[in-house]
Amino acid sequence: MRIPRPKILSLPFLDDIEEKGVVRASTDLADDVVTRVTSGLNITDIRGVLRGDPAVRPNPRLTPHAEGFWLHMKPTYYNNLMDGLYPTFRLGWLATFFFAWEIVTGIFLMVFYTPSPLVAYENMLNILSNVPFGRWMRDTHKLGGELMVLLVVFHMYRTYITGSYKRPRQFTWATGALLLTFTLVVSFFGYLLPWDQLSLWAVTIGASTAGAIPIVGTEADLLVRGGLEFGANGLLRAYLIHVILLPIIMIILLGVHYYKVVIHGHSLPPEAEEPSVDTARKVPMNVRTYFMPKILTRELVYVAGLTLILLAASAFAFGYHAPLEPHADNLVTPLHTTAPWYFLWIQGLMKLGDNFIFGVVLPGAILTGIILAWPYVEVGRNRRYGKRRIGLSIAASTIIGAAILTYMGTPWFGVETSPDQEAIAILLPQTSPGPLRLSDWDDIPYGTYLASEWESAPTRTTSKLLKTFDQELEHASDNPLYGDVEGFMVVEDWQTDLKKITVRIVWVDPETGAPAEFSEIFFFHRNSDYGQGE
Amino acid sequence: MTDAEGQPPEEGQAGALENLGVATPELTRREFLYYLWASSMAVFLAGVGGVTIWFALPRFREGEFGGIFVLPIEDIPAPDSDPMEFAEGRFWLVNIGNEILNDPRQPDEYKVNPGIRTLYKVCPHLGCLYKWVPSNDRFECPCHGSKYLKSDARIGGPARRNLDQFFTEVLDASGSVLVQSEPTWPGDRESTAVPIPPGAVALRIDTGRRLDGAPNVKPGGGL
């Protein structure tokens, strides 16, 4: 029975209902919407992808690559040889995933963060203790950033080792070198935002490095610092650079980088093609693996696995937790202050001499000069491992060099202070909570304890602390300037639920016989929470 | 655009290149105007870049950093005693006596005279705050391990100069200046210590006037 309808509005859907009935018209409409959203795949096509059916001809799974935005950045098909782990290890894809991860978790953190020295640290405490999943967001943002640095570096080494940077992919490599630099720089500026001692002094060192550039150095330093020392201006600048400026630049660079990969095709394993010939662009029909469904599934599995690892790594008490030191203080530099681990190599360089040469010229030349320009300088076409002995040896020696420089960047190289201060820093370090602050409040009973008599201490905790102290005191005893070294720990009842713990070293000057002492006092509250809840 | 067409190629390079089979079309008015426009845009953008940096440079109010500190003479440390810290002024006060003058670790290149020296608290290497370590009898930087004597002389570590100093004056009861620190190194660097003459009542330290330490680059200190 047809109901006559006045033709005032032209609504094809209503016509469809008249023609096919409600159910058929609705499923057709759904199909149409899905095809539009996926740029070319209807529901049947998607089910075909999910079921792993062979593609029909003409293959509708190619259309999203040609017509859609997202997949135009992905090759339509890969060579079969590029399907497994080797040779890419999917490191580039994983680095991209972490970039997205950082943006998402970063936006969550921004909701609870104000870039002002007055409240930034308080915001951190709020995120850690009050915001649901706040601490986890912060942990994974920090961990994700560090893993991203690692993945980008591994990706670079992989590209170098398989010779994939060679012609015609020099430009892809160059954009990758810039992305590496920006990954490091964006992490560096993010470092300041918690506004704790760790961040303030690490970033102060970085900004002072910029100050070492001749002529423009002072201005460069002022531009970053926003004043003579880091304060409200500097924090705001670091924040804006971290959340707006560098991410925009990186998104653009990432687009260029991806486009070049699509244009040139993934470079095949070096042993798979004739030496000096690039055959990646033309993939014969019989060795093609189409992006959909196989590669897509693999990429999603990798990402899901990594998310699981990331989640597990910081979700549990024993997992990774981003450190938070005491509030930033422009008047005190903690002993053993260091840069983040991925900048230790620069710190190691800077212990060698002139700031400009070792802190600016060399790292700058390595990052943007040598790495970026490498494929335009080293133009040998042969990608076979056996024919690149010098090139591969250089890569191996850079890893060794980076390891040595990183060691040199740590406090163990060239930064020892006097043995008495070092011994106390073993129990009460200034850049991390350390064993004493992390001890159980109840396990440290009142009393005076000699470090050398650690075996007779009343509790296991106290005994362990004293033993650590005693071992470190041996360095003082070995020092000819220290005679009769003795270490004490005095635990007093100071207030309700508050212990005053004095860690003291006494010694005599072997020449004059004059007594000397050094001590540090730590007030330990029953509810002190240096371990952030553990 | 069509003006140039049909005209014989000019003598010189263009003609020579054409002989080699390389076509070099002549500069048309339209192309020339494009270049002119592009270069004016380049100049404009360079100007915008300069203005952007100017815009982003921090602005200081007068006295925002640095200031005049007046300390009564009774408050200054005794000769050769441990340095005294003034956190709010970002400086250490050192009273140089015989012990410091005869310190064998002191590099010979730098003259030291008895009196008061005001040392800027910030390490000239990379901006950390160095601290006094009494048992080693020297200043040590906790970041990269630069070491300095009380006199200001660097004796180790990666810093490339001695500690920076602030301009210091000694005042008498009427407020007139008895002695003031003077640079001893070319380029207004490395100030003298100010001796305390009889009749001195106060020390005036201007942390707005900083004198860089003298260059000091050798591994154990010295030039």
Side-chain angles (χ1 to χ4, degrees), chain A residues 385-424:
Chain A
Y385 297 123
K387 298 287 178 198
R388 295 178 53 228
R389 286 181 190 152
I390 295 176
L392 292 177
S393 308
I394 291 174
S397 39
T398 57
I399 296 173
I400 297 166
I404 294 171
L405 284 177
T406 298
Y407 164 73
M408 285 168 58
T410 62
W412 299 298
F413 181 82
V415 194
E416 312 82 52
T417 178
S418 58
D420 49 307
Q421 298 205 10
E422 290 285 350
I424 285 182

Side-chain angles (χ1 to χ4, degrees), chain B residues 159-174:
Chain B
R160 298 286 100 167
R161 64 173 193 257
N162 291 340
L163 293 175
D164 300 341
Q165 301 113 31
F166 287 131
F167 182 71
T168 309
E169 297 161 309
V170 183
L171 308 177
D172 67 8
S174 67

